[in-house]
Amino acid sequence: MLPHSHTPQTPAGPTLGLTDFVDPHWIDFALSHINPLLSVQRVKARVVAMTHETPDLLRVELRPNRLFAGFVPGQAVPLRVTIGGIVHERYYSLTSSPKARTLQLGIKKQPGGVVSGYVHERLRVGDVVELGAAAGDFVLPREVPPQLLLIAGGSGITPMISLLDAALRCRNVQRVTLLYYARSVLDFAFHQHLRALAERDSRFRLLAIPEAHPSLQGAPSTEHVGRFSSAQLDDALGGLTPDLIYLCGPSGLVHSVRSELDGRGLTDRLRCEYFALPTAGAERDTEATIEFRKSRVTAISKKPSLLEAAEEAGLQPRSGCRIGICHTCTCTKVEGVVRDRVTGAIDDRPGSPIRLCVSEPLGPVVLDV
């Protein structure tokens, strides 16, 4: 080898790779015949285990290829499966630790659910699926405060698992209480993990509350029975005020908790996530005039979200999860007033960024779309 001082110097410039000359989709197609996990741009993952946490909730363990960029506890990841030649995508919460070598998703079978039905009925260990990038703001702050309250209902427990594990790894956390609601004792997913965690760490308290009295041996805690109530919240708080409250579950639970927290002046401490937006698909009572400035289209719509109104008008703005997680549909609101259907926050600022899928128009709106 020549000494470094004699090495020929060449002008710096962009490095060309195979994908500069060949369509990466064609490369992926060719690589898939060698190894289904190989790809130059797509995150693929092999199913390594499938476990029923409840009769209708599966814990799916995946080993992704090296293109997966990781996630933050509380986030969700889009799972893409091909059914009848059509790619379908749904977001599912990650229940594993970011440091684990495999990923775990909690997937509840939904009535009529295309992707969840496929996973429960047709997906098998050894199959390969595609994943998108993890997304979502339902995460812990950089500085985790001492007192946390988590409230979950049904499959709303899934984002709480990684949040809880991450919180208890923080030394300054003094107490974490989980209020966990389910229809029956058979519907408490991840209960063995949660019970073991409560026995191992005195900072964690689990209140698992079924709607009806349990009759099975080894049933979860039955300090309370029934739906969310003020008395249950009092017990969970134990006279202390939580620094942050995380809430995920069906719309009925979310509405009840929001109302109770509002009466106690604690709404500003609430972080909330939906798996399905309230009144999804239902039209509003009043019409709104929406101007899509870039597209030179003006529409009058009763659709509950600006994304649905845009699609009704024949537009196809970029979108992903459709429930406010991925931010793919974020655009600039030039003027007008909208309400965030997840947080309830009103935005009347000109030139503010909004998510089309969770923004409801409260009057005339002008969008940079």
Side-chain angles (χ1 to χ4, degrees):
M1 180 181 291
L2 294 173
H4 179 71
S5 58
H6 295 162
T7 302
Q9 300 296 310
T10 57
T15 301
L16 296 179
L18 182 60
T19 56
D20 292 293
F21 301 99
V22 184
D23 186 340
H25 296 288
W26 186 92
I27 299 174
D28 279 352
F29 174 77
L31 289 174
S32 68
H33 288 76
I34 302 171
N35 183 335
L37 289 175
L38 292 178
S39 175
V40 294
Q41 63 178 3
R42 296 157 64 190
V43 178
K44 295 185 176 182
R46 188 181 299 279
V47 179
V48 296
M50 300 178 70
T51 307
H52 271 282
E53 288 287 339
T54 72
D56 62 358
L57 194 147
L58 267 175
R59 174 163 44 91
V60 179
E61 187 172 358
L62 303 165
R63 190 180 301 278
N65 63 16
R66 295 183 178 182
L67 295 178
F68 186 68
F71 69 98
V72 177
Q75 288 189 317
V77 66
L79 172 68
R80 298 169 185 149
V81 297
T82 302
I83 306 172
I86 301 174
V87 177
H88 297 265
E89 175 182 288
R90 295 292 185 274
Y91 275 75
Y92 295 105
S93 293
L94 290 144
T95 62
S96 48
S97 165
K99 296 182 179 180
R101 299 183 65 180
T102 59
L103 307 175
Q104 293 184 7
L105 307 180
I107 301 178
K108 181 177 180 178
K109 187 176 183 180
Q110 301 290 344
V114 175
V115 177
S116 66
Y118 176 90
V119 169
H120 278 253
E121 297 166 11
R122 297 170 57 185
L123 194 66
R124 298 291 182 267
V125 171
D127 288 352
V128 173
V129 297
E130 184 178 348
L131 304 176
D137 301 322
F138 196 67
V139 299
L140 295 171
R142 185 178 297 274
E143 297 294 331
V144 183
Q147 307 282 342
L148 297 175
L149 172 63
L150 314 180
I151 305 175
S155 59
I157 189 63
T158 54
M160 301 296 189
I161 299 299
S162 61
L163 275 178
L164 173 61
D165 291 343
L168 292 176
R169 286 196 295 271
C170 299
R171 293 184 178 181
N172 62 306
V173 169
Q174 299 174 4
R175 188 181 71 161
V176 183
T177 301
L178 170 62
L179 266 173
Y180 180 13
Y181 294 87
R183 290 171 299 180
S184 72
V185 294
L186 296 176
D187 296 302
F188 284 110
F190 305 98
H191 186 70
Q192 289 185 347
H193 172 76
L194 293 170
R195 185 163 53 185
L197 195 58
E199 292 173 353
R200 185 170 68 246
D201 196 323
S202 60
R203 297 174 299 165
F204 173 51
R205 184 185 177 198
L206 170 64
L207 284 169
I209 305 176
E211 286 190 9
H213 284 282
S215 58
L216 300 179
Q217 186 176 5
S221 164
T222 57
E223 297 173 62
H224 298 281
V225 174
R227 299 189 176 186
F228 174 80
S229 69
S230 178
Q232 294 165 5
L233 182 60
D234 286 337
D235 187 3
L237 296 178
L240 300 176
T241 301
D243 298 296
L244 281 177
I245 303 168
Y246 287 82
L247 169 63
C248 186
S251 57
L253 174 65
V254 171
H255 176 75
S256 297
V257 173
R258 277 185 176 278
S259 297
E260 184 66 28
L261 294 180
D262 185 56
R264 300 182 183 218
L266 296 175
T267 308
D268 61 331
R269 306 185 185 208
L270 178 64
R271 306 291 183 269
C272 186
E273 182 163 278
Y274 289 92
F275 286 146
L277 291 175
T279 65
E283 293 196 342
R284 301 179 308 117
D285 294 331
T286 58
E287 294 179 332
T289 302
I290 306 161
E291 179 185 342
F292 302 96
R293 181 158 291 180
K294 280 185 179 179
S295 303
R296 298 182 179 180
V297 171
T298 298
I300 298 176
S301 177
K302 287 187 175 182
K303 292 295 183 181
S305 76
L306 290 171
L307 176 59
E308 292 168 281
E311 292 172 338
E312 182 185 43
L315 305 180
Q316 295 181 323
R318 293 180 67 244
S319 64
C321 67
R322 306 181 74 90
I323 53 175
I325 294 177
C326 69
H327 293 261
T328 302
C329 64
T330 298
C331 74
T332 299
K333 174 174 62 65
V334 180
E335 58 185 63
V337 182
V338 300
R339 175 168 47 219
D340 189 308
R341 299 172 65 208
V342 173
T343 66
I346 305 295
D347 186 338
D348 60 358
R349 301 167 297 162
S352 61
I354 62 169
R355 295 168 293 174
L356 292 174
C357 67
V358 295
S359 294
E360 175 187 2
L362 299 183
V365 175
V366 179
L367 302 173
D368 192 23
V369 173

